Amino acid sequence: RNIEMKGKRILVTGGAGFIGSHLCEKLLEEGNDVVCMDNLFTGQKDNIRHLMDSPFFEFVRHDVLQDVYIAAYRVITKKPRTQ
């Protein structure tokens, strides 16, 4: 199923990681507003630093295991690691 995601507000969890940061970049290039959420345990702010000046990019430092409310059209997440 092909989902049209241009011009949407999209939340990417783990967005400061290697894969997540590239996903954020691609979604921005496609014309979306991107909310990048990461607790920075394994992700790095350096991976998204070049996106920070975009008015269509927002970084939220938060652990997805804790409750949060963010309005978004689509949520893209990775499964948290279990100990």
Side-chain angles (χ1 to χ4, degrees):
R1 186 173 116 185
N2 188 8
I3 298 174
E4 183 68 33
M5 294 206 305
K6 292 184 180 182
K8 307 290 185 191
R9 182 171 164 87
I10 300 173
L11 170 65
V12 178
T13 63
F18 179 78
I19 294 172
S21 62
H22 284 87
L23 180 59
C24 289
E25 193 171 308
K26 178 71 171 166
L27 291 168
L28 283 170
E29 287 172 3
E30 292 178 352
N32 297 290
D33 287 350
V34 175
V35 178
C36 167
M37 182 181 292
D38 203 299
N39 59 11
L40 300 179
F41 287 168
T42 59
Q44 307 228 344
K45 220 169 187 181
D46 283 343
N47 291 339
I48 56 170
R49 193 166 309 282
H50 65 289
L51 305 175
M52 297 292 238
D53 289 333
S54 171
F56 305 105
F57 180 81
E58 179 181 350
F59 172 69
V60 177
R61 185 173 182 172
H62 186 78
D63 188 337
V64 297
L65 299 177
Q66 304 300 317
D67 291 341
V68 66
Y69 175 80
I70 293 183
Y73 170 77
R74 187 117 177 124
V75 176
I76 301 173
T77 186
K78 65 178 185 176
K79 185 177 178 180
R81 291 184 202 173
T82 56
Q83 303 292 347

